[in-house]
Amino acid sequence: MNIAFIGIRVDYRTTLSAPKRIANKLYEEIKKLNKDTFFYSLPWDSEGITQEDAKNGETVGSLSGIRDFILKNKIQTVYLSRYYSKLALYMVLLKKIYKFKLIYTVHGLIKKESDINGTFKGYGGMVERLLLNNCDGIAAVSEEAKEEILKYYPHLDPSIIEVINNGVEIPED
């Protein structure tokens, strides 16, 4: 199965961002088991790799390059670990056209944040709903996160939501 991680490629051991750490560690572990695992890194963050740093199976490119990347690598499953409204909308559109499976890790809900403190624009909740409605699988970072997903989006099928607890990696001495 050809799998694509789409996000920001970083060294998971040095990043302070939990979503980046989880996605990049997961990518490296799955890549060991499945040689047909790829990473498409968006240059939206100064912490991300450059094309010169990219290793085999890794590409750095713009949002508009994702389509060609998916086609070239015959991607069957796309994994997103971070919410960006432009990326979410584009991935839903591409999923409809190219019929790949879409997996997304929920670290927090845009709709909840909007309700609590209005930090996101009005369309953020709408895009999040569209993304979640089109996912074949959703990873929740805790049992509480799963409960919140179902509270804010009760129409979702609970069987597509898996809890994968955020963990703390303790370095060995």
Side-chain angles (χ1 to χ4, degrees):
M1 172 187 306
N2 292 10
I3 303 167
F5 283 71
I6 298 179
I8 298 173
R9 182 76 173 110
V10 297
D11 181 343
Y12 74 88
R13 295 172 294 268
T14 59
T15 186
L16 297 178
S17 165
K20 289 179 199 169
R21 185 177 310 119
I22 291 166
N24 283 272
K25 172 75 170 166
L26 185 60
Y27 164 72
E28 290 185 16
E29 293 300 318
I30 290 176
K31 181 96 174 153
K32 291 176 191 173
L33 303 171
N34 178 4
K35 66 179 179 54
D36 297 319
T37 301
F38 305 89
F39 202 110
Y40 190 89
S41 184
L42 296 159
W44 296 350
D45 187 319
S46 61
E47 187 180 19
I49 65 167
T50 64
Q51 190 58 53
E52 294 77 37
D53 298 327
K55 297 179 181 133
N56 187 30
E58 300 172 357
T59 300
V60 178
S62 66
L63 189 65
S64 62
I66 293 173
R67 176 192 166 275
D68 291 341
F69 174 82
I70 287 171
L71 294 174
K72 174 185 165 197
N73 294 295
K74 298 180 175 80
I75 299 300
Q76 298 162 297
T77 301
V78 171
Y79 172 77
L80 299 174
S81 72
R82 190 136 182 188
Y83 178 86
Y84 299 101
S85 57
K86 290 187 285 189
L87 177 59
L89 282 170
Y90 193 47
M91 294 317 302
V92 169
L93 173 66
L94 291 177
K95 175 187 169 31
K96 296 285 188 190
I97 296 169
Y98 300 108
K99 311 295 185 207
F100 53 77
K101 293 188 184 306
L102 184 59
I103 313 297
Y104 174 59
T105 297
V106 175
H107 297 274
L109 291 172
I110 303 303
K111 185 168 178 26
K112 178 184 174 189
E113 291 297 318
S114 291
D115 288 352
I116 292 172
N117 58 25
T119 54
F120 291 92
K121 295 178 181 153
Y123 62 82
M126 178 188 72
V127 173
E128 179 180 68
R129 180 184 188 96
L130 182 66
L131 173 62
L132 293 174
N133 284 343
N134 283 280
C135 283
D136 297 285
I138 299 169
V141 297
S142 66
E143 197 60 50
E144 293 79 14
K146 180 177 180 177
E147 290 169 11
E148 282 188 349
I149 294 166
L150 293 170
K151 174 184 170 189
Y152 281 88
Y153 298 102
H155 64 282
L156 291 175
D157 178 357
S159 71
I160 70 164
I161 305 171
E162 290 291 328
V163 174
I164 302 174
N165 289 303
N166 261 342
V168 176
E169 198 168 308
I170 308 293
E172 294 179 27
D173 293 328

